[in-house]
């Protein structure tokens, strides 16, 4: 058993278009760092970042609370949070803190939990931020690579992404609502046309095949979502133009990153990623919106960096 441990967990992009709540991909754009220190009793949160410090409202706090209870551990835990991932922009910020916490807690108390249990516990922390539990971001952040989340019972499948996969993420400089994921989940249609579910299913299958066959053209071409993206795109200024520009500049597929408002373009290492990134910036500029662009690649999952 350890008295102190630090774990970092990567950002992630969820959905990849048609895989709403099912697909996640860990990305090396940003990382969160969590340090757990064993204490006599209680849960406390220390941070210099703008995140809730009440354990019930914080993904890491909720994970520790749930794990202490589940494993009947009487110790207290101090949680130090160092955010590297911007919150509320669709890059799995809350999930990364939860993922790092689960791994740190597992190691600290020598639990040796299996992958699905780790993801399930990290997902329980997501409730603090999204209002509901979804596992796509946490699964990617815990395990790394590309993940497929099957539920009831939870069963996460991990696929190692092709080595030449690259992404360009454009992060608009706009004000996002406090509970953004909750807000952007509220606009999703309650009923959908049968034909639309068939279209999304075929594209989701294309994405999985693209990852398995390491066929980036198939992967990119399958990033087409006729259900969630049309319902959410009004929340992102200049979305249509950013997408059109990125595709024209050579991106293989473009969609909203998670619940947005960041937009992600998929490409390969030999493409002109700077050209795609400047095309996306121009798209946002056409809607009078500034953005930051980040070029990144798939990441490994949460890893211990100090103990
Ligand atoms: N699948 C989730 C959503 C991801 O799109 O609402 C949120 O990060």
């Amino acid at each position: 058993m350890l008295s102190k441990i630090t774990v970092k967990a990567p950002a992630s992009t969820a959905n990849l278009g048609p895989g709403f709540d099912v697909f996640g991909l860990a990305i090396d754009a940003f990382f969160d760092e969590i340090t757990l220190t064993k204490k006599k009793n209680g849960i406390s949160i220390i941070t210099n970042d703008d995140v809730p410090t009440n354990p019930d409202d914080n993904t890491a706090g909720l994970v520790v609370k749930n794990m202490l209870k589940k494993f009947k551990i009487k110790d207290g835990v101090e949680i130090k949070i160092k955010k590297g991932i911007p919150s509320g922009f669709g890059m799995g910020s809350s999930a990364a803190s939860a993922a790092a916490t689960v791994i740190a807690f597992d190691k600290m108390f020598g639990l040796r939990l299996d992958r699905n249990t780790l993801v399930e516990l990290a997902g329980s922390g997501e409730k603090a931020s999204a209002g509901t539990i979804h596992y796509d971001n946490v699964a990617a952040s815990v395990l790394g690579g590309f993940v497929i989340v099957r539920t009831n019972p939870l069963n996460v499948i991990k696929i190692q992404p092709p080595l030449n996969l690259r992404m360009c993420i454009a992060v608009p400089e706009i004000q996002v609502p406090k509970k953004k994921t909750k807000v952007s989940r509220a606009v999703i249609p309650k009923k959908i046309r049968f034909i639309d579910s068939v279209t999304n299913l075929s594209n989701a299958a294309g994405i999985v095949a693209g990852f398995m066959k390491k066929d980036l053209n198939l992967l990119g071409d399958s990033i087409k979502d006729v259900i969630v993206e049309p319902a959410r795109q009004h929340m992102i200024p200049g979305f249509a133009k950013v997408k059109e520009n990125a595709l024209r500049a050579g991106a293989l597929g473009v969609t909203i990153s998670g619940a947005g408002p960041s937009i992600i373009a998929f490409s390969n290492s030999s493409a002109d990623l700077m050209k795609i990134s400047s095309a996306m910036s121009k798209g946002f500029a056409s809607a009078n919106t500034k953005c930051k662009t980040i070029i990144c690649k798939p990441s490994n999952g949460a890893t211990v960096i100090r103990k």
Side-chain angles (χ1 to χ4, degrees):
M1 284 221 268
L2 305 162
S3 57
K4 189 172 184 168
I5 183 167
T6 303
V7 173
K8 72 167 189 175
S12 58
T13 184
N15 305 338
L16 289 89
F20 180 76
D21 278 4
V22 174
F23 293 164
L25 177 68
I27 52 177
D28 70 354
F30 304 101
F31 294 83
D32 274 8
E33 233 180 78
I34 299 285
T35 303
L36 299 187
T37 310
K38 215 181 275 177
K39 295 278 163 183
K40 278 221 160 57
N41 47 45
I43 302 172
S44 54
I45 297 179
I46 303 177
T47 183
N48 291 324
D49 300 304
D50 184 20
V51 290
T53 49
N54 175 356
D56 284 323
D57 300 325
N58 181 294
T59 50
L62 205 49
V63 166
V64 167
K65 187 177 170 184
N66 292 341
M67 291 182 84
L68 286 172
K69 190 169 171 210
K70 187 176 169 79
F71 300 103
K72 301 188 172 60
I73 295 170
K74 297 278 176 276
D75 298 285
V77 177
E78 176 197 276
I79 310 165
K80 191 167 175 209
I81 303 175
K82 205 166 139 198
K83 297 293 296 175
I85 310 170
S87 299
F89 285 88
M91 286 178 284
S93 176
S94 55
S97 291
T101 305
V102 160
I103 298 298
F105 194 102
D106 178 67
K107 297 262 189 291
M108 176 171 254
F109 293 99
L111 301 174
R112 296 171 175 268
L113 300 172
D114 63 61
R115 288 167 153 209
N116 288 329
T117 308
L118 290 168
V119 172
E120 190 151 32
L121 288 163
S124 74
E126 274 282 68
K127 201 161 185 207
S129 103
T132 49
I133 298 180
H134 58 96
Y135 297 100
D136 42 6
N137 291 106
V138 282
S141 227
V142 169
L143 303 176
F146 174 66
V147 294
I148 302 167
V149 176
R150 299 179 63 232
T151 40
N152 297 322
L154 185 69
N155 176 23
V156 183
I157 299 157
K158 177 183 169 178
I159 301 173
Q160 208 59 53
L163 288 177
N164 58 343
L165 178 61
R166 295 291 179 276
M167 279 74 59
C168 178
I169 304 185
V171 186
E173 292 179 14
I174 58 173
Q175 202 71 36
V176 286
K178 261 262 175 270
K179 296 248 171 188
K180 184 231 53 198
T181 302
K182 201 171 175 186
V183 173
S184 47
R185 286 175 87 84
V187 304
I188 295 164
K190 302 250 174 326
K191 285 188 176 164
I192 56 166
R193 294 191 310 163
F194 186 70
I195 181 69
D196 290 341
S197 77
V198 174
T199 303
N200 267 28
L201 179 59
S202 69
N203 285 324
I207 290 175
V208 174
F211 273 105
M212 300 290 296
K213 291 158 73 108
K214 312 217 177 293
D215 179 343
L216 291 185
N217 288 311
L218 172 61
L219 197 170
D221 190 51
S222 304
I223 295 185
K224 288 179 182 140
D225 166 21
V226 297
I227 299 171
V228 180
E229 186 181 289
R232 281 180 169 169
Q233 63 181 52
H234 70 275
M235 301 170 91
I236 308 171
F239 175 79
K241 196 75 191 149
V242 176
K243 182 170 175 171
E244 183 192 321
N245 284 3
L247 290 170
R248 278 223 185 114
L252 302 172
V254 181
T255 190
I256 301 171
S257 183
S262 298
I263 301 178
I264 184 161
F266 292 77
S267 190
N268 58 45
S269 52
S270 53
D272 191 343
L273 293 154
M274 293 311 289
K275 197 170 147 196
I276 295 171
S277 108
S278 95
M280 293 175 91
S281 300
K282 281 187 191 137
F284 271 121
S286 74
N288 294 318
T289 304
K290 285 194 184 131
C291 77
K292 285 199 175 65
T293 55
I294 301 121
I295 290 166
C296 59
K297 55 183 192 309
S299 171
N300 293 330
T303 44
V304 176
I305 52 173
R306 268 189 304 281
K307 51 187 177 183

